[in-house]
């Protein structure tokens, strides 16, 4: 049982490393900041989570130590990496970074135009009250 568990944990860590390597190719090969952000947040987050999970399982089963630091690391990466990627994409969009030429949809434009229109109407109403 010990050798099978070590093999499974090793495969989890190896799979995480392979997914992280694939995400680096995505960062290099993808054409615009939005697609690169997707590669950086989704696949590398999964890769890091698998590596940390493998380390957590190894310490739990073979060293008889439940590592709170690894659990906190897993939770921290799981929460912060996708949120940071999302906010980077929104910041890039709002600052005018163009989409890739072959992009098929721009779902954020109508929402931002509505927000801009509503903010202008709100300013006009407030100016009328002064």
């Amino acid at each position: 049982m010990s050798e099978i568990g070590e093999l499974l944990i090793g495969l989890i860590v190896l799979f995480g490393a392979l997914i992280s390597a694939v995400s680096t190719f995505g960062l290099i090969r993808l054409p615009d900041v939005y697609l690169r952000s997707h590669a950086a947040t989704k696949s590398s987050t999964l890769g890091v989570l698998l590596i940390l999970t493998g380390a957590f399982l190894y310490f739990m089963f073979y060293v008889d130590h439940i590592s709170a630091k690894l659990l906190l690391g897993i939770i921290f990466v799981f929460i912060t990496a996708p949120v940071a990627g999302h906010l980077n994409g929104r910041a890039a969009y709002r600052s005018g970074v163009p989409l890739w030429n072959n992009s098929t949809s721009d779902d954020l434009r109508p929402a931002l135009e509505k927000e801009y229109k509503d903010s202008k109407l709100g300013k006009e109403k407030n100016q009328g009250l002064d």
Side-chain angles (χ1 to χ4, degrees), residues 39-58:
T41 57
K42 304 294 186 232
S43 57
S44 65
T45 300
L46 179 62
V48 169
L49 289 177
L50 286 172
I51 292 169
L52 290 176
T53 301
F56 177 77
L57 292 174
Y58 177 79

Side-chain angles (χ1 to χ4, degrees), residues 69-117:
K69 290 179 185 178
L70 283 172
L71 280 176
L72 288 174
I74 290 169
I75 293 168
F76 183 75
V77 169
F78 185 72
I79 292 172
T80 59
V83 171
H86 174 76
L87 292 176
N88 284 337
R90 283 185 69 105
Y93 191 87
R94 286 179 181 262
S95 66
V97 176
L99 294 170
W100 179 42
N101 293 336
N102 293 337
S103 293
T104 57
S105 67
D106 184 1
D107 295 335
L108 192 55
R109 180 173 298 283
L112 288 179
E113 287 174 352
K114 182 181 180 305
E115 179 183 315
Y116 179 71
K117 184 177 127 185

Side-chain angles (χ1 to χ4, degrees), residues 123-130:
K123 285 181 185 177
E124 290 173 2
K125 287 180 183 177
N126 286 339
Q127 288 176 357
L129 295 175
D130 292 340

